[in-house]
């Protein structure tokens, strides 16, 4: 089945220790997103790629970086995680030429910062 | 004012009852509207898109009111499995950039 896969599902890191989260998709969608979601809050868009074009949200901290080496893969790098970065990180994809652009989500990576 | 506002709830509803949520949005130029469902500690999943004429999918009915800038979700004959958080989603400038509400938590009680 076509899907969005995230690894790992759970990540524990130490304060200040870099961490990389990965996302892959078999949907062949042009757009990939990274969201941060904390408990009882809306998913917060960090950035998105339209093909290779990178779009950073204005309030995304510099601590967060992303790479998309090809259509299928996208990575989220957190250079120096702080306690406030503990959250669920959701990867999503969409194909923007459709009339209603449903976003398809991976299962998320739950990040714990010690 | 938030771009997308929802009552966070929780709505505690007995099984079999009808429940309705509203969501207001601030961007009058928005064209795409969705309801997503999110179970505890899981990813959001599309429940239904919301069309201008309103649409129904089984026990679920979605309505759009452009004049007042709100969308609604009605759930009839609620089931225990309907317990979840319902996220209202509206497009931003382009049709693939979405703004998410914080969700309305629904608890169906036996």
């Amino acid at each position: 089945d076509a899907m969005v896969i995230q690894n790992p599902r759970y990540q524990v890191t130490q304060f200040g220790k870099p961490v990389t989260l990965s996302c892959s998709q078999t949907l062949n969608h042009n757009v990939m997103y990274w969201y941060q979601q904390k408990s009882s809050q809306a998913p917060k868009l960090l950035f998105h790629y339209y093909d290779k074009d990178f779009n950073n949200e204005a309030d995304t901290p510099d601590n967060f970086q992303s790479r998309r080496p090809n259509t299928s893969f996208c990575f989220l790098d957190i250079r120096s995680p702080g306690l406030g970065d503990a959250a669920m990180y959701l990867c999503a994809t969409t194909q923007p030429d459709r009339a209603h652009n449903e976003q398809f989500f991976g299962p998320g990576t739950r990040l714990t910062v010690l | 004012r938030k771009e997308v506002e929802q009552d966070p709830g929780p709505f505690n509803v007995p099984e079999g009852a009808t429940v309705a949520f509203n969501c207001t949005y601030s961007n009058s130029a928005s064209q795409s509207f969705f309801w997503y469902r999110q179970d505890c500690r899981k990813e959001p999943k599309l429940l239904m898109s919301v069309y201008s004429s309103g649409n129904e999918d089984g026990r679920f009915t979605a309505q759009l009111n452009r004049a007042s800038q709100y969308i609604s979700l009605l759930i009839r004959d609620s089931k225990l499995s309907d317990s979840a958080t319902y996220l209202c989603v509206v497009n931003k400038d382009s049709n693939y950039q979405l703004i998410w509400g914080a969700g309305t938590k629904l608890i169906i009680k036996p």
Side-chain angles (χ1 to χ4, degrees):
Chain A
D1 288 339
M3 56 186 1
V4 182
I5 302 163
Q6 289 188 245
N7 285 302
R9 294 291 308 278
Y10 301 91
Q11 176 73 58
V12 180
T13 190
Q14 291 180 331
F15 184 95
K17 186 174 180 182
V19 66
T20 294
L21 310 182
S22 74
C23 175
S24 63
Q25 54 134 340
T26 60
L27 298 161
N28 205 32
H29 285 171
N30 291 113
V31 183
M32 293 186 77
Y33 308 84
W34 279 105
Y35 288 92
Q36 178 194 67
Q37 188 178 27
K38 297 184 177 181
S39 182
S40 301
Q41 295 184 22
K44 178 183 182 299
L45 182 64
L46 298 173
F47 19 63
H48 75 275
Y49 281 90
Y50 194 134
D51 294 327
K52 292 187 176 182
D53 290 335
F54 175 71
N55 298 274
N56 200 30
E57 292 300 299
D59 57 353
T60 298
D62 292 339
N63 198 27
F64 292 87
Q65 303 286 319
S66 185
R67 297 168 282 136
R68 188 179 186 186
N70 53 51
T71 300
S72 302
F73 284 87
C74 196
F75 299 96
L76 170 61
D77 301 307
I78 308 176
R79 293 192 298 187
S80 182
L83 297 178
D85 296 328
M88 173 79 95
Y89 290 87
L90 293 160
C91 174
T93 74
T94 197
Q95 189 56 34
D97 53 1
R98 293 182 184 160
H100 276 259
N101 302 124
E102 176 182 355
Q103 291 191 5
F104 294 82
F105 283 83
T109 295
R110 186 164 294 280
L111 178 67
T112 300
V113 182
L114 301 177
Chain B
R1 182 185 175 187
K2 290 182 183 176
E3 292 177 283
V4 176
E5 288 203 76
Q6 297 183 249
D7 182 341
F11 285 48
N12 290 285
V13 174
E15 191 176 7
T18 295
V19 60
F21 319 129
N22 280 347
C23 160
T24 59
Y25 62 94
S26 61
N27 184 359
S28 59
S30 292
Q31 295 293 324
S32 299
F33 308 90
F34 309 90
W35 284 102
Y36 276 73
R37 171 193 169 128
Q38 187 171 26
D39 292 296
C40 188
R41 301 176 76 83
K42 297 287 183 83
E43 74 275 22
K45 292 185 178 178
L46 180 68
L47 178 66
M48 55 199 307
S49 301
V50 186
Y51 301 112
S52 297
S53 55
N55 47 303
E56 187 173 312
D57 183 2
R59 298 181 292 109
F60 298 85
T61 301
Q63 297 280 351
L64 168 63
N65 185 316
R66 286 190 186 276
S68 300
Q69 292 183 208
Y70 75 84
I71 64 174
S72 63
L73 177 67
L74 180 80
I75 305 175
R76 289 181 298 278
D77 187 24
S78 53
K79 311 291 184 192
L80 295 175
S81 58
D82 294 333
S83 297
T85 296
Y86 291 83
L87 300 162
C88 171
V89 190
V90 176
N91 78 294
K92 200 176 176 182
D93 304 316
S94 67
N95 64 356
Y96 65 90
Q97 291 176 284
L98 303 179
I99 306 168
W100 294 73
T104 296
K105 187 170 184 177
L106 174 64
I107 300 171
I108 305 298
K109 297 188 177 247

